[in-house]
């Protein structure tokens, strides 16, 4: 039974392989009378795959050492110009044979030692050589090579006769079928790459050690002494005027402004944290394989919809702890605080992709499927979690009574402002993930295969620990300055790493990639804004929860009237 290859054409940026994808037959290749398209899964469609069966016939163990003709065609002036533009922009073909990816450039530019673009010659490859390795009855590996000596000149806008050819050679190998993807995994696990990853982890551990040393010094020299005096010396506690954080026990647990908004942000941040942990756990378990195209996208959508129950429960339960009454408003805000900006961004970018004719544009049917998943799975999960949180009416555990009149916050120095604290709080957590970000960006925005989920999981855990420690340190400094409005600030300081992430995207775009054009720019910054916002909500939740635990332990260890 003949096997076929599915193909797509992509615009490639040489340094980082960042691309925008188009259909193979958008270029004037030989088009069959009956164009047959491959049936795509939801994840493959989200991945931008619009695969069609190719004209190359690769029957199992059928060598074709003599060149076989795919088709003969006379290119018009307009078609010659299309091919020349594709060669100029480094377009290349991506093929899949038995789920094994292969790549080939469409053509080449012959500069002939000249630096004048007007003297360059443009050629498209017309001969491809397929080399396929097999073991028993299974395909193990496939290589594709374009013949640089068999080309068609498309330099001048004039009609050109083109004959597309290919050869096929089958070779036996002892590599078992289970190891056929090892060469694709090897790109992210080479010794020099692993050395960089482990250096990143060691850098993160040193950062955490520094933060823990600072917090340990604060506890041993300041907090422990104050807590001991307040707990043991009642006469000191009654007669000595309280200063610093000790004077805030009547205000530190005063509920924040816009408690419904804070509750919604915490609920959504908890959900995103659960999504990331679930995805990384599945990656460590080997669920996401390089040949399973679209599985990651499908898993991300399903897990996000299911974990909506966590968002509803976290938001509504915390809102009731803060003695809120309009829980329905909180629930609606929780469901839309992240998904609405993401959906609006998607609509804009999908419109851009449609205008450019890119395969990144989702068809209407796929959009309907996603909306149905949201309505039939995410919303019921969100409501179920909210009803559970409403039924479990746990009280807010405050070890100190709150006074009726709020204490006035004394004037703060400029370096204690919220902007400066956010700037300082985000540096160390961002330093933890800085090295790993390069590989993540290269995988998401390029075609590098990322398979070392174990190292990524370790770095993520270190990120959470660093965020928690830094947020606690910033909250202590704020309380020591007699500023009791720590609720929102702890969330903003914890989430400030998301702002650094968005700033890094500018550095990556302009200095580490060759992306250009309105479509690539809008897609990159549009989706990076959404990702950075999601990281902001997730790490903000980690920072707030850590600070809430710290404040409870701190004021629970002293005698408060």
């Amino acid at each position: 039974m003949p096997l076929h290859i599915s193909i797509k054409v992509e615009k490639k940026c040489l340094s980082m392989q960042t691309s925008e994808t188009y259909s193979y037959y958008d270029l004037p290749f030989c088009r069959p009378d009956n164009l047959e398209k491959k049936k795509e899964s939801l994840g493959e469609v989200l991945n931008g795959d619009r695969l069609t069966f190719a004209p190359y016939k690769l029957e199992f163990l059928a060598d074709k050492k003599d060149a076989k003709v795919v088709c003969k065609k006379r290119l018009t002036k307009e078609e010659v110009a299309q091919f020349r533009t594709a060669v100029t922009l480094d377009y290349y073909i991506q093929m899949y044979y038995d789920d094994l990816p292969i790549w080939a450039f469409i053509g080449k530019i012959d500069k002939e030692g000249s630096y004048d673009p007007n003297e360059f010659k443009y050629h498209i490859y017309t001969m491809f050589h397929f080399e396929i390795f097999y073991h028993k009855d299974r395909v193990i590996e496939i290589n594709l090579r374009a013949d640089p000596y068999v080309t068609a000149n498309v330099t001048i806008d004039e009609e050109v006769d083109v004959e597309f050819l290919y050869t096929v050679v089958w070779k036996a190998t002892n590599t078992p079928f289970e190891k056929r993807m090892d060469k694709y995994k090897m790109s992210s696990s080479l010794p020099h790459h692993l050395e960089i990853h482990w250096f990143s982890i060691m850098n993160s551990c040193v950062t955490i050690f520094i933060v823990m040393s600072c917090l340990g010094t604060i506890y041993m020299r300041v907090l422990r002494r104050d807590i001991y005096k307040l707990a043991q010396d009642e006469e000191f506690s009654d007669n000595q005027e309280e200063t610093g954080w000790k004077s805030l026990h009547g205000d530190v647990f005063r509920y924040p402004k816009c408690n419904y908004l804070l509750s919604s942000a915490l609920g959504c941040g908890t959900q995103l944290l659960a999504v990331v942990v679930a995805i990384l756990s599945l990656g460590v378990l080997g669920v996401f394989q390089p040949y399973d195209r679209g599985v990651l996208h499908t898993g991300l959508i399903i897990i996000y919809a299911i974990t909506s129950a966590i968002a509803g429960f976290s938001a509504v339960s915390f809102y009731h702890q803060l003695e809120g009454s309009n829980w329905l408003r909180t629930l609606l805000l929780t469901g839309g605080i992240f998904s609405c900006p993401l959906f609006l961004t998607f609509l804009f970018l999908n419109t851009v992709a449609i205008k450019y004719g890119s395969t990144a544009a989702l068809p209407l049917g796929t959009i309907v499927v996603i909306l149905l998943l949201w309505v039939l799975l995410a919303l019921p999960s969100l409501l179920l979690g909210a009803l559970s949180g409403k039924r479990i009416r746990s009280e807010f555990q405050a070890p100190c009574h709150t006074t009726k009149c709020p204490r006035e916050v004394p004037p703060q120095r400029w370096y204690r402002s919220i902007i400066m604290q956010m700037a300082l709080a985000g540096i160390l957590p961002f330093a933890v993930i800085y090295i790993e970000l390069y590989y993540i960006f290269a995988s998401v925005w390029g075609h590098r295969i990322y398979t070392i989920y174990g190292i990524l999981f370790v770095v993520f855990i270190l990120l959470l620990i660093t965020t928690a420690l830094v947020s606690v340190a910033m909250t202590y400094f704020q309380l020591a300055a007699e500023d009791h409005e720590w609720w929102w600030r702890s969330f903003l300081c914890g989430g400030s790493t998301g702002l650094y992430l968005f700033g890094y995207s500018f550095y990556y775009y302009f200095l580490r990639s060759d992306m250009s054009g309105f479509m690539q720019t809008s897609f990159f910054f549009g989706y990076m804004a959404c990702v950075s916002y999601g990281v902001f909500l997730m790490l903000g939740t980690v920072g707030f929860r850590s600070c809430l635990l710290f404040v409870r332990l701190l004021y629970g260890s002293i005698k408060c009237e």
Side-chain angles (χ1 to χ4, degrees):
M1 181 178 179
L3 300 177
H4 301 84
I5 306 174
S6 298
I7 304 180
K8 63 179 178 180
V9 174
E10 302 191 336
K11 173 185 176 183
K12 191 190 99 164
C13 295
L14 290 176
S15 63
M16 293 307 304
Q17 291 188 320
T18 307
S19 61
E20 55 191 59
T21 60
Y22 297 95
S23 174
Y24 177 72
Y25 291 107
D26 283 349
L27 287 176
F29 289 104
C30 299
R31 189 182 184 94
D33 295 332
N34 297 320
L35 182 60
E36 186 179 0
K37 296 184 178 180
K38 181 180 181 296
K39 294 182 179 180
E40 307 285 359
S41 65
L42 174 61
E44 290 172 334
V45 175
L46 293 175
N47 194 40
D49 292 341
R50 306 293 186 271
L51 305 181
T52 57
F53 287 97
Y56 307 103
K57 307 300 181 183
L58 308 183
E59 293 87 355
F60 189 69
L61 297 184
D63 286 342
K64 297 179 181 178
K65 296 182 180 180
D66 296 330
K68 297 296 181 181
V69 178
V70 177
C71 71
K72 297 180 180 179
K73 183 177 182 180
R74 174 177 287 270
L75 299 179
T76 65
K77 295 180 180 180
E78 293 76 12
E79 291 173 337
V80 168
Q82 277 186 271
F83 272 123
R84 185 172 62 253
T85 301
V87 173
T88 304
L89 296 176
D90 293 309
Y91 275 52
Y92 68 96
I93 306 169
Q94 181 172 341
M95 308 182 184
Y96 291 95
Y97 182 67
D98 196 29
D99 287 326
L100 294 174
I102 49 178
W103 301 269
F105 278 104
I106 289 179
K108 65 177 182 178
I109 301 177
D110 189 1
K111 298 182 179 180
E112 296 183 344
S114 174
Y115 295 97
D116 185 3
N118 296 322
E119 298 181 4
F120 293 169
K121 294 183 178 180
Y122 301 86
H123 301 265
I124 60 172
Y125 298 122
T126 58
M127 168 76 82
F128 291 100
H129 301 284
F130 294 93
E131 186 180 39
I132 309 174
F133 295 86
Y134 69 95
H135 179 71
K136 296 181 180 179
D137 61 342
R138 306 302 297 267
V139 175
I140 304 301
E141 181 181 348
I142 180 170
N143 297 319
L144 176 61
R145 179 176 61 88
D147 194 327
Y149 301 106
V150 183
T151 63
N153 193 321
V154 291
T155 305
I156 304 175
D157 289 339
E158 60 183 16
E159 293 185 351
V160 177
D161 291 321
V162 179
E163 184 179 41
F164 292 97
L165 308 167
Y166 73 102
T167 63
V168 182
V169 176
W170 289 82
K171 296 182 179 181
T173 180
N174 294 324
T175 304
F177 180 78
E178 294 75 15
K179 295 184 178 181
R180 72 172 189 159
M181 299 304 297
D182 287 354
K183 83 167 190 176
Y184 300 99
K185 297 179 181 179
M186 194 178 301
S187 61
S188 60
S189 58
L190 291 174
H192 65 280
H193 284 299
L194 290 178
E195 183 178 346
I196 296 175
H197 289 298
W198 284 113
F199 175 78
S200 173
I201 292 178
M202 292 301 298
N203 173 69
S204 304
C205 292
V206 170
T207 302
I208 292 177
F209 176 77
I210 294 174
V211 177
M212 292 186 67
S213 299
C214 295
L215 292 178
T217 302
I218 293 174
Y219 176 75
M220 295 299 294
R221 293 191 176 184
V222 181
L223 288 179
R224 189 177 181 184
R225 179 188 60 197
D226 292 345
I227 293 173
Y228 179 79
K229 288 183 178 180
L230 290 172
Q232 300 296 329
D233 193 347
E234 295 184 3
E235 182 178 354
F236 174 86
S237 179
D238 294 336
N239 298 330
Q240 186 73 18
E241 182 180 357
E242 295 177 337
T243 58
W245 64 269
K246 302 179 290 295
S247 63
L248 302 180
H249 56 78
D251 296 275
V252 72
F253 292 105
R254 190 179 305 280
Y255 297 150
K257 300 177 181 178
C258 301
N259 55 2
Y260 64 92
L261 181 58
L262 179 61
S263 301
S264 299
L266 292 175
C268 186
T270 305
Q271 177 191 8
L272 294 176
L273 178 62
V275 170
V276 174
V277 171
I279 291 294
L280 292 179
S281 299
L282 292 176
V284 172
L285 295 175
V287 175
F288 306 121
Q289 296 296 331
Y291 53 82
D292 291 331
R293 295 177 294 109
V295 174
L296 178 59
H297 294 83
T298 303
L300 191 61
I301 290 179
I302 299 299
I303 292 174
Y304 181 83
I306 295 175
T307 53
S308 296
I310 298 177
F313 178 84
S314 301
V316 174
S317 62
F318 188 76
Y319 182 66
H320 276 295
Q321 289 182 22
L322 300 183
E323 300 178 1
S325 57
N326 194 351
W327 68 274
L328 185 58
R329 177 182 60 178
T330 302
L331 176 63
L332 294 176
L333 186 59
T334 303
I337 194 172
F338 177 74
S339 58
C340 285
L342 178 62
F343 184 69
L344 292 176
T345 302
F346 160 75
L347 289 180
F348 170 73
L349 297 180
N350 202 61
T351 304
V352 173
I354 292 174
K355 180 176 178 58
Y356 276 77
S358 171
T359 59
L362 296 186
L364 180 60
T366 303
I367 299 176
V368 172
V369 170
I370 295 176
L371 292 178
L372 288 177
L373 285 174
W374 171 255
V375 174
L376 300 179
L377 185 58
L379 288 183
S381 299
L382 182 68
L383 181 59
L384 181 62
L387 294 177
S388 300
K390 184 175 181 295
R391 179 173 299 180
I392 303 175
R393 293 180 176 273
S394 58
E395 295 183 357
F396 185 79
Q397 300 175 0
C400 300
H401 294 291
T402 301
T403 59
K404 293 183 179 181
C405 298
R407 180 189 181 95
E408 183 178 356
V409 177
Q412 303 292 321
R413 295 185 178 273
W414 64 270
Y415 55 82
R416 294 186 184 274
S417 65
I418 186 171
I419 301 298
M420 288 302 301
Q421 282 202 339
M422 289 178 63
L424 294 174
I427 291 178
L428 290 180
F430 178 76
V432 170
I433 61 174
Y434 173 76
I435 297 178
E436 203 67 24
L437 279 180
Y438 171 83
Y439 296 95
I440 297 175
F441 273 56
S443 177
V444 174
W445 295 107
H447 296 289
R448 293 191 179 182
I449 300 174
Y450 195 98
T451 59
I452 45 178
Y453 287 96
I455 291 180
L456 184 59
F457 205 171
V458 172
V459 173
F460 179 71
I461 297 299
L462 296 177
L463 171 65
L464 298 183
I465 295 174
T466 308
T467 300
L469 294 176
V470 170
S471 299
V472 167
M474 288 298 173
T475 298
Y476 168 74
F477 292 137
Q478 182 182 355
L479 297 178
E482 300 184 5
D483 184 355
H484 58 82
E485 297 176 349
W486 62 274
W487 298 72
W488 272 108
R489 185 166 296 194
S490 63
F491 184 90
L492 295 176
C493 287
S496 59
T497 306
L499 301 180
Y500 278 88
L501 175 60
F502 190 60
Y504 176 83
S505 65
F506 283 87
Y507 161 78
Y508 178 88
Y509 180 86
F510 290 106
L511 299 179
R512 303 303 296 270
S513 77
D514 288 335
M515 284 185 280
S516 61
F518 180 75
M519 179 177 173
Q520 290 189 3
T521 303
S522 59
F523 262 72
F524 180 80
F525 287 108
Y527 282 124
M528 280 310 305
C530 293
V531 171
S532 301
Y533 177 50
V535 171
F536 175 82
L537 293 174
M538 179 182 67
L539 296 184
T541 299
V542 173
F544 174 82
R545 293 290 186 182
S546 304
C547 293
L548 179 60
L549 177 62
F550 167 73
V551 173
R552 280 174 172 168
L553 293 176
L554 177 62
Y555 286 91
S557 61
I558 64 175
K559 296 180 180 180
C560 303
E561 296 296 336

